[in-house]
Amino acid sequence: MGLAGMISGGAAGAMANAPASAVWTRTSQVLKHELGEATFGSWLGQASLREMGDEVCLVAATGVARDWIRRYAWRRIGELWTQHDPMGRRLDLKSRLEVDSVGAFSAAMPPAAANALAVAPTIFEVEAEVAPVAARQGRLLGLQERFTFDTFVAGPANEFAYSVAQRVASWADGYFNPVLFHGPYGFGKTHLLNALAWAAIRQEPSRRVVYLTAERFTSTFVKALQDRQTAAFKDELRNADLLLIDDVHFVAGKPTTQEELFHTLIALVEDGRRVVMTADRSPTEISEMEPRLRSHLQAGLVCGIEPADRNLRLGILQRKLATLAGQGGFRAEARPEVLQFLADRFTDSVRELEGALNTLVARVGSQLAALTLDDAQSILRPHLSCNERRVTVDMIQKLVAEHYSLKQADLISERRARAVARPRQVAMWIAKQVTTRSLPDIGRRFGGRDHTTVLHAVRRIESLKSEDAGIARDLDVLLRKLRG
């Protein structure tokens, strides 16, 4: 008996006429529980359902997401869809680019899936969204048009900073003042500051926004001193409704510049104007910063941005690939193993991560979808060799053993207990990723094992890291430690 037959009266009729979006909502709720929030959010959180008549299509955000869904979740999706859809409609799977290029389906509402890794469906709309006047104002300030909230990929590492920036940009009351975002280079601070500026200009075009780097603040101030134009310089900044200064740590060790910045900060805050800055570390760690200035920066909201986790790095790659594909006129697709390799190899800087993808696109262009993992590694090998310290299998074994509270001897022993076998597979996978050793050579260093054992371990971890959030976190932590 079908599902509709089990429900009596009006409930059965309502179920029989259930829209496809309602069926997908029920299906996705089960999937989210089975796959976990992180995995579901990364690959299915941005999928939408499109239908026309009896035709229904699940539209993945990217070709990479489509391939992952087909490989790891499509069978289960089919089972759940059949279970929840009394009308027996056939469900197809396509990427957004495939659907948009043929116009075969009309868009339906996407599922309500809260996900920190939020990749916006369209990313080439800066000019459409920014009014011409605001766009001109932003360009005069030196803002980069590609750095908006729409193109910022949020995740656990930066979601608090992201929400704070949005609140400040909305000109809402109850904000902290000043706000300081800090984190090492390549973590998205400049992107966030530009995005905040664009949004603030769009929201209130009549308000005065000033954006500049600390280096420009310094050079402009020095020139004003030389030209005896300090009064004009002060008026320019202290009449701002929102002052944004990037890389404020640059003024450390420059007493006169710090003095001027301190008085500018005090004047703006006391007058109810907003101030947002970025730095490469927290104020307490900027030893050469004048104590009064450091104290006032700490008096507001000091917001750290952490390194991007693996899911966030994958989301950034998908977003960057879509941007490059739109600019180059090719399909936004790459093999999942290639993007996963990039996400696992470039863990310390979003800038380096995007740079690696830029390198691949520059070399192969529209053929990126056909690029194999070996080809990608070959193209990036010179870049990798100059950016990584030498890592040995012995170092990997010691680190993995310590992480899992084992002895290094356990990893090369004959023990097959899961508590030892899984860490051993992790160590083999890392050795394949970050050393130049061949599979047989790696096997020999793990107690004389055959290369097929190493290959099985590599494939097993490749599969698990997409399904098991714990394994993904372990790999992320271990790779970071190995690279210092």
Side-chain angles (χ1 to χ4, degrees), residues 330-448:
F330 60 88
R331 298 169 71 89
E333 295 186 3
R335 296 190 178 190
E337 60 268 23
V338 171
L339 293 187
Q340 289 167 4
F341 163 73
L342 295 178
D344 291 328
R345 202 65 183 260
F346 296 90
T347 60
D348 296 327
S349 167
V350 171
R351 193 171 291 129
E352 291 181 5
L353 178 68
E354 293 184 334
L357 183 60
N358 286 339
T359 300
L360 296 181
V361 172
R363 286 287 297 272
V364 303
S366 60
Q367 302 302 310
L368 183 66
L371 188 72
T372 66
L373 177 58
D374 287 341
D375 290 338
Q377 290 173 328
S378 178
I379 291 172
L380 294 172
R381 186 166 290 121
H383 182 69
L384 294 170
S385 62
C386 68
N387 281 283
E388 290 190 344
R389 65 186 178 121
R390 178 159 179 79
V391 176
T392 66
V393 175
D394 183 67
M395 290 168 58
I396 293 169
Q397 290 175 344
K398 289 178 179 177
L399 183 64
V400 171
E402 179 183 359
H403 182 79
Y404 288 103
S405 301
L406 298 171
K407 297 178 180 178
Q408 185 177 358
D410 292 329
L411 299 181
I412 60 177
S413 71
E414 294 297 321
R415 292 179 59 190
R416 296 185 179 182
R418 184 184 181 87
V420 174
R422 185 69 78 230
R424 182 185 296 130
Q425 289 177 328
V426 166
M428 289 179 174
W429 180 87
I430 293 176
K432 176 65 173 63
Q433 297 297 312
V434 304
T435 74
T436 58
R437 299 293 182 185
S438 64
L439 294 179
D441 200 7
I442 293 173
R444 283 192 292 273
R445 283 165 168 74
F446 280 85

Side-chain angles (χ1 to χ4, degrees), residues 222-234:
V222 170
K223 190 174 187 308
L225 286 174
Q226 294 170 344
D227 297 342
R228 298 184 178 181
Q229 295 291 324
T230 54
F233 174 81
K234 292 177 180 179

Side-chain angles (χ1 to χ4, degrees), residues 209-224:
V209 176
V210 175
Y211 168 88
L212 68 166
T213 64
E215 183 177 8
R216 187 179 172 194
F217 177 95
T218 301
S219 62
T220 306
F221 176 60
V222 170
K223 190 174 187 308

